[in-house]
Amino acid sequence: MPATKNKRNEQCSIECIFGKMLKKLEVPVEFDLPCWLKKWKPTQYINIKRNVYLTKRRIEDDGIFCLCNPLLEASTVCDGDCHCGMLFSTCSSSCKCGNKCVNKSFQHRAMKKVKVVKTEKCGFGVVADEDIKQGDFVMEYVGEVIDDKTCEERLWKMKHRGDTNFYLCEVNHDMVIDATYKGNRSRFINHSCEPNTEMQKWRVDGETRVGIFTLRNIRRGEELTYDYKFVQFGADQVCYCGSLSCRQMLGNKPRSSNHVALHKRKTDLQNCIGELVRVWRSQDKRYYGGFISDFSNYSGKHTIIYEDEKVDILDLSIEDWDFL
């Protein structure tokens, strides 16, 4: 009982205090959140330094060897005229140039100083925290390496969750780097139609990896951008890069005419141009993504354009397709 009485007295005292405060406030007072509560935080992810393989790692011998002379008086070798570098291959451990070799950016992880910032229209972005010269290695694009099947499954889950930010980089067939859950600051680099960096595929000790290199000199405080160059399926997305050569819309339509399906399917849905669909291919036992590009009022059929260039349209037998 005494404990209950004390609790009631405590509650009464708190109510009395708030009552007195309200009487003193003759007019409503606007209150603002403290600065520490308003500070933004980047999307949560696990920071990693190297790719995490969720599929079989592919190591291939490219047969490229360094031919540079380590006996030269120059302080550095294996630079722009290096046989390996010209073929987008880093020098391996067999390189005889030792510490003079500068063609091991991926192995040494010599990242440039950058920081993540909040942009006005494009969410988070990355700006240089130091001057960076043209042709320099900025950082590696890393994440979870997955196959096409896993990529498709993840895209479906993102679709159902209503996610709008994607961090997928297709490297080769059945090899996609997904920085959604694990990655580094490169995942925040925004698109630009007039970029100052570019993605390059390099062979590092037989492994294919992706690096971000500068296209021109970049001053400290300048935002880093690259051209996503992805194929946009479905509705167009407005580009906010603001460059003089801005294409206004994000993404490119399929380049090759062999993407166009010669097989058309009849449907009662006429107002679905631009919608994403998936088509089942029985011989591969998998779905292929595409989008509806046209509708013929005469035949009552839709034309579907496919994302995968390897799909043989003439042999494609459409048993079923549905909207993504």
Side-chain angles (χ1 to χ4, degrees):
M1 290 299 291
T4 305
K5 185 176 181 181
N6 291 336
K7 189 173 182 179
R8 288 178 179 174
N9 290 337
E10 182 181 353
Q11 184 177 0
C12 181
S13 62
I14 294 175
E15 291 177 355
C16 291
I17 291 173
F18 275 101
K20 292 179 180 180
M21 291 175 63
L22 290 173
K23 289 181 180 179
K24 291 182 179 180
L25 297 175
E26 297 179 356
V27 293
V29 177
E30 294 183 1
F31 103 66
D32 198 7
L33 291 173
C35 295
W36 65 270
L37 275 178
K38 295 190 294 183
K39 285 184 178 179
W40 53 268
K41 292 183 179 180
T43 306
Q44 294 299 315
Y45 70 101
I46 298 175
N47 186 69
I48 57 176
K49 295 181 179 180
R50 280 290 309 272
N51 286 325
V52 177
Y53 277 80
L54 302 183
T55 184
K56 184 178 179 181
R57 186 194 301 262
R58 287 179 284 185
I59 303 296
E60 301 176 3
D61 183 9
D62 53 18
I64 302 174
F65 300 96
C66 177
L67 302 176
C68 298
N69 186 0
L71 301 179
L72 297 176
E73 296 181 359
S75 58
T76 60
V77 289
C78 305
D79 207 346
D81 56 349
C82 177
H83 180 64
C84 293
M86 288 188 291
L87 297 175
F88 295 92
S89 177
T90 63
C91 290
S92 64
S93 55
S94 62
C95 176
K96 300 178 181 179
C97 299
N99 295 331
K100 289 186 176 182
C101 176
V102 295
N103 188 29
K104 294 181 179 179
S105 299
F106 287 85
Q107 293 96 321
H108 296 159
R109 304 189 187 95
M111 292 176 55
K112 296 298 181 182
K113 294 180 180 179
V114 299
K115 60 182 179 181
V116 178
V117 299
K118 189 71 167 63
T119 66
E120 183 179 353
K121 295 182 178 180
C122 301
F124 299 111
V126 176
V127 299
D129 209 18
E130 64 176 332
D131 293 342
I132 307 176
K133 295 181 180 180
Q134 179 180 355
D136 278 0
F137 171 82
V138 180
M139 68 180 74
E140 181 180 0
Y141 191 91
V142 297
E144 294 178 304
V145 181
I146 57 179
D147 56 22
D148 291 345
K149 181 181 178 182
T150 305
C151 177
E152 182 178 353
E153 292 172 352
R154 289 191 174 187
L155 285 172
W156 271 97
K157 290 179 180 178
M158 292 177 183
K159 168 73 174 178
H160 293 152
R161 289 198 305 262
D163 292 347
T164 55
N165 295 319
F166 302 92
Y167 306 92
L168 297 134
C169 174
E170 184 177 15
V171 181
N172 292 316
H173 174 65
D174 237 17
M175 182 180 180
V176 178
I177 300 177
D178 183 5
T180 303
Y181 308 109
K182 297 179 181 180
N184 61 13
R185 294 180 179 181
S186 64
R187 68 198 292 277
F188 294 109
I189 298 179
N190 284 317
H191 162 85
S192 176
C193 299
E194 194 173 332
N196 52 24
T197 71
E198 68 175 355
M199 279 188 167
Q200 296 179 4
K201 289 194 294 186
W202 281 65
R203 188 62 62 84
V204 184
D205 294 327
E207 176 187 353
T208 302
R209 290 158 70 175
V210 176
I212 297 172
F213 293 79
T214 55
L215 293 171
R216 59 172 175 80
N217 293 336
I218 299 176
R219 300 297 300 272
R220 180 181 181 183
E222 186 177 351
E223 183 178 1
L224 303 180
T225 59
Y226 64 86
D227 191 337
Y228 287 178
K229 293 182 179 179
F230 67 89
V231 177
Q232 173 65 25
F233 292 96
D236 291 327
Q237 298 181 34
V238 178
C239 177
Y240 295 105
C241 73
S243 65
L244 295 177
S245 56
C246 180
R247 298 188 291 268
Q248 307 303 321
M249 294 296 174
L250 199 62
N252 304 311
K253 292 301 180 184
R255 299 175 300 276
S256 177
S257 60
N258 63 1
H259 285 249
V260 180
L262 301 181
H263 189 115
K264 299 182 180 182
R265 172 170 174 163
K266 188 172 182 178
T267 176
D268 294 332
L269 300 174
Q270 299 183 18
N271 299 321
C272 54
I273 295 177
E275 292 289 342
L276 295 174
V277 296
R278 63 175 185 171
V279 180
W280 176 257
R281 185 173 182 177
S282 57
Q283 52 265 53
D284 293 340
K285 295 182 179 180
R286 59 163 289 189
Y287 283 98
Y288 286 92
F291 78 99
I292 300 173
S293 65
D294 189 27
F295 174 78
S296 172
N297 290 317
Y298 177 77
S299 64
K301 296 181 179 180
H302 291 81
T303 301
I304 301 175
I305 295 183
Y306 297 95
E307 179 180 9
D308 197 330
E309 296 184 13
K310 298 181 177 62
V311 176
D312 187 349
I313 299 301
L314 293 175
D315 294 335
L316 184 62
S317 175
I318 301 178
E319 298 177 357
D320 187 23
W321 62 265
D322 52 25
F323 291 97
L324 295 176

